[in-house]
Structure formats: structure tokens, C-alpha cells
Amino acid sequence: MSAHWCAEQITIFTVIVFYRPEVGSELQHESYGIVSDEMHHDICSVYTFNRHILQHVQHKLPWTIQHVHYWSDGAGSQFQNRYNFTNLLYHQSDFGCTADWNFFATSHGKGPVDGIGGEVKRSVRRAILKGTVVVNDAVEFYHAAERLNVLFVSQGVIKEAAAQLVERWNNSKTLPGTHSFHYAKPVSTEAVACGRNSPFTTGQPALAIHSIVKESATTSAHVIAPIPADRPATCTPTCTCIDAVPGNFVMVKYDTKKSKNVFLGQVVARDEADLEITLLRSKDSDHKIFVFPANEDKAWIDDQQVQEIVDTPKMDSRGRYIFNHGIAVTE
């Protein structure tokens, strides 16, 4: 009974590794589930989990891994942030191979990897129901799932890695528009090339080179590797940004090739120069009454897209947000 009501939680980090045993051979894969007692799902956990997976994969393969193409969603706390971009600069020295990182578009990253965690939990639940195991913590959960391809990484190992990485991350700087990038690769010891599209989906996207190491962290000027001729470089302009914080209601502009739209949103999170917002929908012709749609509409934006912060509205008994004046949105 005490085991049933135990409230201790664990982390399951799921990964599928695709590879070819030989050049031109059929694509193979390995599914992994990382079990941990570390509940902070941050970049340090991701770094440590990837290290253990790469070590395990390399041990099984007859050849040395030369390059890794990472694919993930755009979670700002785990993957799509300056710390992860900085880790790419050190991937060769840390893991013995180079790497690039690709980010799925919002709500477009579902795939086989999402079923791994479910299978691991089902396996442990069946073992508990049979009475063959009692699970009270992450270690016991790991042993109950050992028949599957699972690895265990303790909280202590992650904390140890964090202590080694803190100086590296303190010397990194934010890239404007981080959450608008869907591709990143290192081009020198201090810079990454970023693109709004992945080269695996659009051929050869335009890449912008960004220095990600603070000037004070080096003794010499940054040496930026040139972009190949078939990949024209673009630049990110310096801007004066509005300092919006979680809870603020903001006017957000979205420019496309065909139109320029303005929406109303509420800031729910901030990651350096990027904001996560939830968009609202107008309910009247004067654009004074707004609601959050039944299907939540969230997006990460560059704070350059924020036009202004609007006054906090009143909320009526029906959950509608009432503004004192019309909001100039284009929906």
C-alpha cells in the first residue's frame, strides 16, 4: 500500500538513434530511454543524457562516429537556447565528433520517439501488477525496465557535469531570434551558423553567422569562418527591444511575404531575448473584447516582434478580457 501511494517522481528521456552500419547500407536504429532521479529538465540534463547515449552507441558500433545530426522540438529550457548552441562548439572535444542541431516546427515533432516512454512505463507497470517488483524510486524503476534498452543517469552525475559546464555557459551570449532558428551548426570555436530552415528540408537555406562567445572570454578577436558560396550569409540587425515580462499583454507583428499581421498576446515565459506568448482572439468588431481560444495558440517570438505593451484588461465573469479601447489587430 505504501508503494502505491509513493509520490516520488522520475524523469524518462527518450531518444531514437538512426545510423547506417556501412556506407549505402540499410538504415538501422536503436531506441533508448534514460531514467533519472533528476527532475530539472534543463540543458545540463540534456547534455549528460546525450553523453551517455553517445558513449553507449559508440561502444556497440565497429566504427568511430564522425558526425551527429540532432533533431528535437524547440523547448527553450532544454534544446533551443544559447547554452545548447555553445555546447555545439565543444562537441568535438567533448564527444569526439562534430554535430549540428535541427529543430522541428512547433507541433510538428511527433514521431516514434514519443512511444518509447509509454512502452517503458507499461513494462514497469506490468511487472508491478505481477508482483515481481516493487518500485519506490528511480533506481528501482530502472531495474524493473532493464529488459528494455534503458540507461540510468543519477542526479549526482548531472550535478557534476553542471559544475564543469558553468564557466562555459557564463561566457556565452544570447542570440537575438533564437526561437526563430530551426538549424544551428558550429563554424569556428566561437561562432555558430543559424538558419530559419533546416538544410534537410529546404536544400540550402540562408545561414547567418553569430558569435556566441563574449568578447571578454577570449584574448584575441573572434575569427569567423566564411559561409560557402552556395549558402549566402545574412545578418541580424541590432534593435531596441521592448522589455516585456510574463503576464504582460503585448501587440505582436508577424510579417510574411504576402502580408503584415498584428496580433494580441500575453507573455507566459521569457528566455533571454525570446518570448513565449499565448495569442488571444477578438470577439467584437471594435476589438475591445478578447478571449483565449479553446485550442491554446502558443508561439515563441523574437522580442523584436513586440510593438508595444498594452494596459492590463479587466476580466468579466465569462472569462473574457475587456480593454478600455480598441486593439488594432489584423486577424
Side-chain angles (χ1 to χ4, degrees), residues 188-252:
S188 76
T189 58
E190 300 169 358
V192 292
C194 301
R196 294 184 181 273
N197 297 295
S198 167
F200 296 96
T201 58
T202 60
Q204 301 295 331
L207 299 180
I209 297 179
H210 299 270
S211 175
I212 199 170
V213 178
K214 294 178 180 177
E215 294 288 344
S216 59
T218 59
T219 56
S220 60
H222 296 311
V223 179
I224 307 300
I227 288 289
D230 59 347
R231 296 190 180 185
T234 61
C235 62
T236 302
T238 301
C239 70
T240 301
C241 300
I242 296 174
D243 190 21
V245 297
N248 286 158
F249 287 83
V250 294
M251 302 290 292
V252 180

Short mmCIF file of all heavy atoms in Angstrom, two decimals, residues 188-252:
data_model
loop_
_atom_site.label_atom_id
_atom_site.label_comp_id
_atom_site.label_asym_id
_atom_site.label_seq_id
_atom_site.Cartn_x
_atom_site.Cartn_y
_atom_site.Cartn_z
N SER A 188 33.21 27.78 -36.16
CA SER A 188 34.52 28.08 -35.59
C SER A 188 34.45 27.75 -34.11
O SER A 188 33.45 27.20 -33.64
CB SER A 188 34.88 29.56 -35.80
OG SER A 188 34.18 30.38 -34.90
N THR A 189 35.49 28.07 -33.37
CA THR A 189 35.49 27.80 -31.93
C THR A 189 34.66 28.81 -31.16
O THR A 189 34.48 28.66 -29.95
CB THR A 189 36.93 27.82 -31.39
OG1 THR A 189 37.51 29.10 -31.66
CG2 THR A 189 37.75 26.71 -32.02
N GLU A 190 34.13 29.83 -31.86
CA GLU A 190 33.40 30.88 -31.16
C GLU A 190 32.09 31.26 -31.82
O GLU A 190 31.38 32.13 -31.33
CB GLU A 190 34.28 32.14 -31.06
CG GLU A 190 35.58 31.92 -30.30
CD GLU A 190 36.54 33.09 -30.46
OE1 GLU A 190 36.19 34.03 -31.20
OE2 GLU A 190 37.61 33.06 -29.84
N ALA A 191 31.74 30.63 -32.94
CA ALA A 191 30.56 31.08 -33.68
C ALA A 191 29.77 29.91 -34.23
O ALA A 191 30.30 28.82 -34.50
CB ALA A 191 30.99 31.99 -34.84
N VAL A 192 28.47 30.14 -34.37
CA VAL A 192 27.57 29.16 -34.98
C VAL A 192 26.86 29.80 -36.16
O VAL A 192 26.64 31.02 -36.19
CB VAL A 192 26.51 28.65 -33.97
CG1 VAL A 192 27.15 27.82 -32.90
CG2 VAL A 192 25.72 29.80 -33.37
N ALA A 193 26.54 28.99 -37.15
CA ALA A 193 25.75 29.44 -38.29
C ALA A 193 24.32 28.95 -38.06
O ALA A 193 24.10 27.76 -37.82
CB ALA A 193 26.30 28.88 -39.59
N CYS A 194 23.36 29.86 -38.13
CA CYS A 194 21.97 29.53 -37.85
C CYS A 194 21.09 29.82 -39.05
O CYS A 194 21.34 30.79 -39.79
CB CYS A 194 21.46 30.33 -36.64
SG CYS A 194 22.38 30.04 -35.12
N GLY A 195 20.08 29.02 -39.24
CA GLY A 195 19.16 29.22 -40.34
C GLY A 195 17.72 29.05 -39.88
O GLY A 195 17.44 28.33 -38.92
N ARG A 196 16.81 29.73 -40.57
CA ARG A 196 15.39 29.63 -40.23
C ARG A 196 14.77 28.36 -40.79
O ARG A 196 13.63 28.03 -40.47
CB ARG A 196 14.64 30.86 -40.73
CG ARG A 196 15.07 32.14 -40.02
CD ARG A 196 14.27 33.34 -40.46
NE ARG A 196 14.72 34.55 -39.79
CZ ARG A 196 14.30 34.96 -38.60
NH1 ARG A 196 13.38 34.24 -37.97
NH2 ARG A 196 14.75 36.06 -38.05
N ASN A 197 15.53 27.64 -41.62
CA ASN A 197 15.08 26.34 -42.14
C ASN A 197 16.22 25.35 -42.03
O ASN A 197 17.39 25.72 -42.04
CB ASN A 197 14.65 26.46 -43.61
CG ASN A 197 13.47 27.37 -43.79
OD1 ASN A 197 12.37 27.10 -43.33
ND2 ASN A 197 13.69 28.49 -44.47
N SER A 198 15.87 24.08 -41.93
CA SER A 198 16.88 23.03 -41.90
C SER A 198 17.30 22.69 -43.32
O SER A 198 16.47 22.63 -44.22
CB SER A 198 16.31 21.79 -41.22
OG SER A 198 17.15 20.66 -41.44
N PRO A 199 18.59 22.45 -43.56
CA PRO A 199 19.03 22.05 -44.91
C PRO A 199 18.50 20.69 -45.33
O PRO A 199 18.53 20.35 -46.51
CB PRO A 199 20.56 22.02 -44.77
CG PRO A 199 20.81 21.80 -43.32
CD PRO A 199 19.71 22.53 -42.61
N PHE A 200 17.95 19.91 -44.39
CA PHE A 200 17.39 18.61 -44.72
C PHE A 200 15.97 18.72 -45.26
O PHE A 200 15.41 17.75 -45.74
CB PHE A 200 17.40 17.70 -43.49
CG PHE A 200 18.78 17.38 -43.00
CD1 PHE A 200 19.35 18.11 -41.97
CD2 PHE A 200 19.52 16.37 -43.58
CE1 PHE A 200 20.63 17.83 -41.51
CE2 PHE A 200 20.79 16.07 -43.13
CZ PHE A 200 21.35 16.81 -42.10
N THR A 201 15.39 19.92 -45.17
CA THR A 201 14.02 20.09 -45.65
C THR A 201 13.90 21.06 -46.81
O THR A 201 12.96 20.99 -47.58
CB THR A 201 13.12 20.60 -44.51
OG1 THR A 201 13.65 21.85 -44.01
CG2 THR A 201 13.06 19.60 -43.37
N THR A 202 14.85 21.98 -46.95
CA THR A 202 14.72 23.01 -47.99
C THR A 202 15.95 23.11 -48.89
O THR A 202 16.07 24.06 -49.64
CB THR A 202 14.48 24.39 -47.35
OG1 THR A 202 15.59 24.71 -46.49
CG2 THR A 202 13.19 24.39 -46.54
N GLY A 203 16.85 22.16 -48.81
CA GLY A 203 18.04 22.24 -49.65
C GLY A 203 19.15 23.01 -48.97
O GLY A 203 19.79 22.52 -48.06
N GLN A 204 19.37 24.24 -49.41
CA GLN A 204 20.46 25.05 -48.87
C GLN A 204 19.91 26.37 -48.34
O GLN A 204 19.78 27.33 -49.08
CB GLN A 204 21.51 25.32 -49.96
CG GLN A 204 22.13 24.07 -50.57
CD GLN A 204 22.95 23.29 -49.55
OE1 GLN A 204 23.50 23.86 -48.62
NE2 GLN A 204 23.04 21.99 -49.74
N PRO A 205 19.55 26.44 -47.05
CA PRO A 205 18.98 27.68 -46.52
C PRO A 205 20.05 28.76 -46.34
O PRO A 205 21.23 28.47 -46.25
CB PRO A 205 18.44 27.24 -45.16
CG PRO A 205 19.37 26.15 -44.75
CD PRO A 205 19.70 25.41 -46.03
N ALA A 206 19.59 30.01 -46.29
CA ALA A 206 20.50 31.11 -45.97
C ALA A 206 20.87 31.00 -44.49
O ALA A 206 20.02 30.82 -43.64
CB ALA A 206 19.82 32.45 -46.25
N LEU A 207 22.16 31.09 -44.20
CA LEU A 207 22.64 30.97 -42.83
C LEU A 207 23.25 32.29 -42.37
O LEU A 207 23.91 32.98 -43.13
CB LEU A 207 23.69 29.86 -42.72
CG LEU A 207 23.23 28.44 -43.09
CD1 LEU A 207 24.39 27.46 -42.92
CD2 LEU A 207 22.06 28.01 -42.22
N ALA A 208 23.01 32.62 -41.12
CA ALA A 208 23.60 33.81 -40.51
C ALA A 208 24.63 33.36 -39.49
O ALA A 208 24.37 32.47 -38.67
CB ALA A 208 22.53 34.66 -39.85
N ILE A 209 25.82 33.93 -39.53
CA ILE A 209 26.88 33.58 -38.60
C ILE A 209 26.78 34.47 -37.36
O ILE A 209 26.71 35.69 -37.47
CB ILE A 209 28.26 33.72 -39.24
CG1 ILE A 209 28.41 32.74 -40.40
CG2 ILE A 209 29.36 33.46 -38.21
CD1 ILE A 209 29.72 32.83 -41.12
N HIS A 210 26.76 33.85 -36.19
CA HIS A 210 26.65 34.59 -34.94
C HIS A 210 27.80 34.18 -34.01
O HIS A 210 28.00 32.99 -33.76
CB HIS A 210 25.33 34.28 -34.23
CG HIS A 210 24.12 34.66 -35.02
ND1 HIS A 210 23.53 35.90 -34.92
CD2 HIS A 210 23.38 33.95 -35.91
CE1 HIS A 210 22.48 35.95 -35.72
NE2 HIS A 210 22.37 34.77 -36.33
N SER A 211 28.52 35.16 -33.50
CA SER A 211 29.47 34.89 -32.44
C SER A 211 28.70 34.68 -31.16
O SER A 211 27.84 35.48 -30.80
CB SER A 211 30.44 36.07 -32.28
OG SER A 211 31.29 35.85 -31.16
N ILE A 212 28.97 33.58 -30.47
CA ILE A 212 28.19 33.23 -29.28
C ILE A 212 29.04 33.29 -28.02
O ILE A 212 28.56 33.01 -26.92
CB ILE A 212 27.57 31.84 -29.46
CG1 ILE A 212 26.40 31.65 -28.49
CG2 ILE A 212 28.60 30.74 -29.29
CD1 ILE A 212 25.58 30.42 -28.75
N VAL A 213 30.31 33.66 -28.15
CA VAL A 213 31.21 33.77 -27.01
C VAL A 213 31.45 35.24 -26.71
O VAL A 213 31.71 36.04 -27.61
CB VAL A 213 32.55 33.06 -27.29
CG1 VAL A 213 33.49 33.22 -26.10
CG2 VAL A 213 32.32 31.59 -27.59
N LYS A 214 31.35 35.62 -25.45
CA LYS A 214 31.56 37.00 -25.06
C LYS A 214 32.98 37.45 -25.39
O LYS A 214 33.93 36.67 -25.28
CB LYS A 214 31.29 37.18 -23.56
CG LYS A 214 29.85 36.95 -23.16
CD LYS A 214 29.67 37.09 -21.65
CE LYS A 214 28.22 36.87 -21.25
NZ LYS A 214 28.04 36.95 -19.77
N GLU A 215 33.10 38.72 -25.76
CA GLU A 215 34.42 39.26 -26.12
C GLU A 215 35.41 39.10 -24.98
O GLU A 215 36.57 38.80 -25.19
CB GLU A 215 34.28 40.75 -26.48
CG GLU A 215 33.47 41.02 -27.74
CD GLU A 215 34.21 40.63 -29.00
OE1 GLU A 215 35.43 40.43 -28.92
OE2 GLU A 215 33.57 40.52 -30.05
N SER A 216 34.96 39.31 -23.75
CA SER A 216 35.86 39.26 -22.59
C SER A 216 36.34 37.85 -22.28
O SER A 216 37.26 37.66 -21.50
CB SER A 216 35.15 39.81 -21.36
OG SER A 216 33.97 39.07 -21.08
N ALA A 217 35.71 36.86 -22.92
CA ALA A 217 36.07 35.47 -22.63
C ALA A 217 37.28 35.00 -23.43
O ALA A 217 37.81 33.94 -23.19
CB ALA A 217 34.90 34.55 -22.91
N THR A 218 37.74 35.80 -24.39
CA THR A 218 38.87 35.40 -25.21
C THR A 218 39.93 36.48 -25.19
O THR A 218 39.67 37.64 -24.88
CB THR A 218 38.43 35.17 -26.67
OG1 THR A 218 37.85 36.38 -27.16
CG2 THR A 218 37.39 34.07 -26.74
N THR A 219 41.13 36.11 -25.53
CA THR A 219 42.23 37.07 -25.54
C THR A 219 42.49 37.60 -26.93
O THR A 219 43.30 38.50 -27.10
CB THR A 219 43.52 36.38 -25.02
OG1 THR A 219 43.78 35.23 -25.82
CG2 THR A 219 43.35 35.96 -23.58
N SER A 220 41.86 37.05 -27.93
CA SER A 220 42.05 37.52 -29.29
C SER A 220 40.70 37.78 -29.94
O SER A 220 39.66 37.34 -29.46
CB SER A 220 42.82 36.48 -30.12
OG SER A 220 42.11 35.26 -30.14
N ALA A 221 40.70 38.48 -31.05
CA ALA A 221 39.45 38.78 -31.75
C ALA A 221 38.84 37.50 -32.30
O ALA A 221 39.53 36.52 -32.57
CB ALA A 221 39.72 39.76 -32.88
N HIS A 222 37.52 37.51 -32.45
CA HIS A 222 36.84 36.34 -32.99
C HIS A 222 37.22 36.14 -34.46
O HIS A 222 37.26 37.08 -35.24
CB HIS A 222 35.32 36.52 -32.91
CG HIS A 222 34.83 36.62 -31.49
ND1 HIS A 222 35.20 35.72 -30.53
CD2 HIS A 222 34.01 37.51 -30.90
CE1 HIS A 222 34.62 36.04 -29.39
NE2 HIS A 222 33.90 37.14 -29.58
N VAL A 223 37.48 34.90 -34.81
CA VAL A 223 37.75 34.55 -36.20
C VAL A 223 36.54 33.77 -36.69
O VAL A 223 36.28 32.65 -36.25
CB VAL A 223 39.02 33.69 -36.32
CG1 VAL A 223 39.25 33.31 -37.76
CG2 VAL A 223 40.21 34.45 -35.76
N ILE A 224 35.78 34.36 -37.60
CA ILE A 224 34.55 33.75 -38.08
C ILE A 224 34.81 33.05 -39.40
O ILE A 224 35.32 33.65 -40.34
CB ILE A 224 33.45 34.82 -38.27
CG1 ILE A 224 33.28 35.63 -36.99
CG2 ILE A 224 32.15 34.16 -38.68
CD1 ILE A 224 32.87 34.79 -35.79
N ALA A 225 34.47 31.77 -39.47
CA ALA A 225 34.65 31.01 -40.70
C ALA A 225 33.66 31.50 -41.75
O ALA A 225 32.52 31.83 -41.44
CB ALA A 225 34.42 29.52 -40.44
N PRO A 226 34.09 31.58 -43.01
CA PRO A 226 33.18 32.06 -44.06
C PRO A 226 32.12 31.02 -44.41
O PRO A 226 32.32 29.83 -44.25
CB PRO A 226 34.13 32.27 -45.25
CG PRO A 226 35.23 31.28 -45.01
CD PRO A 226 35.42 31.23 -43.52
N ILE A 227 30.97 31.50 -44.88
CA ILE A 227 29.91 30.63 -45.37
C ILE A 227 30.25 30.22 -46.80
O ILE A 227 30.71 31.05 -47.59
CB ILE A 227 28.56 31.38 -45.35
CG1 ILE A 227 28.10 31.56 -43.89
CG2 ILE A 227 27.50 30.63 -46.14
CD1 ILE A 227 27.66 30.27 -43.23
N PRO A 228 30.05 28.97 -47.18
CA PRO A 228 30.28 28.56 -48.56
C PRO A 228 29.48 29.41 -49.53
O PRO A 228 28.44 29.97 -49.18
CB PRO A 228 29.82 27.10 -48.58
CG PRO A 228 29.96 26.64 -47.17
CD PRO A 228 29.67 27.84 -46.33
N ALA A 229 29.96 29.47 -50.78
CA ALA A 229 29.35 30.35 -51.77
C ALA A 229 27.88 30.03 -52.01
O ALA A 229 27.08 30.89 -52.33
CB ALA A 229 30.11 30.25 -53.10
N ASP A 230 27.50 28.75 -51.86
CA ASP A 230 26.12 28.38 -52.14
C ASP A 230 25.21 28.58 -50.93
O ASP A 230 24.05 28.24 -50.95
CB ASP A 230 26.03 26.92 -52.59
CG ASP A 230 26.58 25.95 -51.55
OD1 ASP A 230 27.24 26.41 -50.61
OD2 ASP A 230 26.33 24.74 -51.69
N ARG A 231 25.77 29.14 -49.85
CA ARG A 231 24.97 29.43 -48.66
C ARG A 231 25.19 30.89 -48.27
O ARG A 231 26.03 31.19 -47.44
CB ARG A 231 25.34 28.52 -47.49
CG ARG A 231 25.03 27.06 -47.77
CD ARG A 231 25.17 26.23 -46.53
NE ARG A 231 24.86 24.83 -46.81
CZ ARG A 231 24.81 23.90 -45.86
NH1 ARG A 231 25.02 24.21 -44.63
NH2 ARG A 231 24.52 22.66 -46.20
N PRO A 232 24.47 31.82 -48.89
CA PRO A 232 24.69 33.23 -48.63
C PRO A 232 24.43 33.57 -47.17
O PRO A 232 23.48 33.10 -46.56
CB PRO A 232 23.66 33.92 -49.54
CG PRO A 232 22.61 32.89 -49.77
CD PRO A 232 23.34 31.59 -49.80
N ALA A 233 25.29 34.42 -46.62
CA ALA A 233 25.14 34.83 -45.23
C ALA A 233 24.17 35.99 -45.13
O ALA A 233 24.09 36.82 -46.01
CB ALA A 233 26.51 35.25 -44.66
N THR A 234 23.42 36.00 -44.06
CA THR A 234 22.56 37.12 -43.77
C THR A 234 22.99 37.69 -42.43
O THR A 234 23.77 37.09 -41.71
CB THR A 234 21.08 36.69 -43.68
OG1 THR A 234 20.95 35.73 -42.61
CG2 THR A 234 20.61 36.08 -44.98
N CYS A 235 22.50 38.85 -42.11
CA CYS A 235 22.88 39.45 -40.84
C CYS A 235 21.63 39.73 -40.02
O CYS A 235 20.56 39.96 -40.56
CB CYS A 235 23.69 40.73 -41.05
SG CYS A 235 22.77 42.02 -41.90
N THR A 236 21.79 39.72 -38.70
CA THR A 236 20.70 40.04 -37.80
C THR A 236 20.93 41.44 -37.28
O THR A 236 21.93 41.69 -36.61
CB THR A 236 20.66 39.04 -36.63
OG1 THR A 236 20.51 37.73 -37.15
CG2 THR A 236 19.52 39.37 -35.69
N PRO A 237 20.04 42.41 -37.58
CA PRO A 237 20.25 43.77 -37.16
C PRO A 237 20.12 43.93 -35.65
O PRO A 237 19.38 43.20 -34.99
CB PRO A 237 19.13 44.53 -37.88
CG PRO A 237 18.06 43.51 -38.06
CD PRO A 237 18.78 42.22 -38.30
N THR A 238 20.83 44.91 -35.13
CA THR A 238 20.70 45.25 -33.73
C THR A 238 19.45 46.10 -33.57
O THR A 238 19.19 46.99 -34.38
CB THR A 238 21.93 46.04 -33.26
OG1 THR A 238 23.09 45.24 -33.47
CG2 THR A 238 21.82 46.38 -31.78
N CYS A 239 18.66 45.84 -32.53
CA CYS A 239 17.41 46.57 -32.38
C CYS A 239 17.22 47.03 -30.95
O CYS A 239 17.88 46.56 -30.04
CB CYS A 239 16.24 45.69 -32.79
SG CYS A 239 15.95 44.34 -31.63
N THR A 240 16.32 47.98 -30.80
CA THR A 240 15.90 48.40 -29.49
C THR A 240 14.63 47.63 -29.15
O THR A 240 13.62 47.78 -29.82
CB THR A 240 15.62 49.90 -29.46
OG1 THR A 240 16.80 50.60 -29.83
CG2 THR A 240 15.18 50.34 -28.06
N CYS A 241 14.68 46.78 -28.13
CA CYS A 241 13.59 45.87 -27.86
C CYS A 241 12.78 46.33 -26.65
O CYS A 241 13.31 46.95 -25.73
CB CYS A 241 14.12 44.46 -27.62
SG CYS A 241 15.04 43.79 -29.02
N ILE A 242 11.49 46.02 -26.66
CA ILE A 242 10.61 46.34 -25.55
C ILE A 242 10.76 45.26 -24.49
O ILE A 242 10.70 44.07 -24.79
CB ILE A 242 9.16 46.43 -26.05
CG1 ILE A 242 9.03 47.58 -27.04
CG2 ILE A 242 8.20 46.62 -24.88
CD1 ILE A 242 7.67 47.68 -27.70
N ASP A 243 10.96 45.67 -23.26
CA ASP A 243 11.26 44.74 -22.18
C ASP A 243 9.97 44.17 -21.60
O ASP A 243 9.55 44.54 -20.51
CB ASP A 243 12.09 45.43 -21.10
CG ASP A 243 12.64 44.45 -20.08
OD1 ASP A 243 12.72 43.25 -20.41
OD2 ASP A 243 12.98 44.89 -18.96
N ALA A 244 9.34 43.26 -22.32
CA ALA A 244 8.11 42.63 -21.85
C ALA A 244 8.45 41.48 -20.91
O ALA A 244 9.46 40.81 -21.06
CB ALA A 244 7.30 42.11 -23.03
N VAL A 245 7.58 41.27 -19.92
CA VAL A 245 7.80 40.22 -18.94
C VAL A 245 6.55 39.35 -18.87
O VAL A 245 5.47 39.75 -19.33
CB VAL A 245 8.10 40.82 -17.54
CG1 VAL A 245 9.38 41.62 -17.56
CG2 VAL A 245 6.93 41.67 -17.06
N PRO A 246 6.66 38.12 -18.33
CA PRO A 246 5.49 37.26 -18.21
C PRO A 246 4.33 37.96 -17.51
O PRO A 246 4.49 38.60 -16.48
CB PRO A 246 6.02 36.07 -17.38
CG PRO A 246 7.46 35.98 -17.76
CD PRO A 246 7.90 37.42 -17.90
N GLY A 247 3.16 37.82 -18.11
CA GLY A 247 1.96 38.48 -17.59
C GLY A 247 1.54 39.68 -18.41
O GLY A 247 0.36 40.05 -18.41
N ASN A 248 2.50 40.30 -19.13
CA ASN A 248 2.18 41.46 -19.96
C ASN A 248 1.32 41.06 -21.15
O ASN A 248 1.48 39.97 -21.72
CB ASN A 248 3.45 42.12 -20.48
CG ASN A 248 4.20 42.91 -19.43
OD1 ASN A 248 5.39 43.15 -19.58
ND2 ASN A 248 3.53 43.34 -18.37
N PHE A 249 0.41 41.97 -21.55
CA PHE A 249 -0.31 41.83 -22.82
C PHE A 249 0.42 42.68 -23.84
O PHE A 249 0.73 43.85 -23.58
CB PHE A 249 -1.77 42.28 -22.67
CG PHE A 249 -2.62 41.32 -21.88
CD1 PHE A 249 -2.62 41.35 -20.49
CD2 PHE A 249 -3.39 40.36 -22.53
CE1 PHE A 249 -3.40 40.47 -19.76
CE2 PHE A 249 -4.17 39.47 -21.81
CZ PHE A 249 -4.16 39.51 -20.42
N VAL A 250 0.71 42.10 -25.00
CA VAL A 250 1.56 42.78 -25.97
C VAL A 250 0.96 42.71 -27.38
O VAL A 250 0.22 41.77 -27.70
CB VAL A 250 2.99 42.17 -26.00
CG1 VAL A 250 3.71 42.42 -24.68
CG2 VAL A 250 2.93 40.67 -26.30
N MET A 251 1.30 43.70 -28.18
CA MET A 251 0.99 43.69 -29.60
C MET A 251 2.17 43.08 -30.33
O MET A 251 3.32 43.50 -30.16
CB MET A 251 0.75 45.11 -30.10
CG MET A 251 -0.37 45.85 -29.37
SD MET A 251 -1.99 45.18 -29.77
CE MET A 251 -2.10 45.67 -31.49
N VAL A 252 1.90 42.05 -31.14
CA VAL A 252 2.96 41.30 -31.80
C VAL A 252 2.76 41.36 -33.32
O VAL A 252 1.64 41.16 -33.82
CB VAL A 252 2.95 39.82 -31.35
CG1 VAL A 252 4.05 39.04 -32.05
CG2 VAL A 252 3.10 39.73 -29.85
#
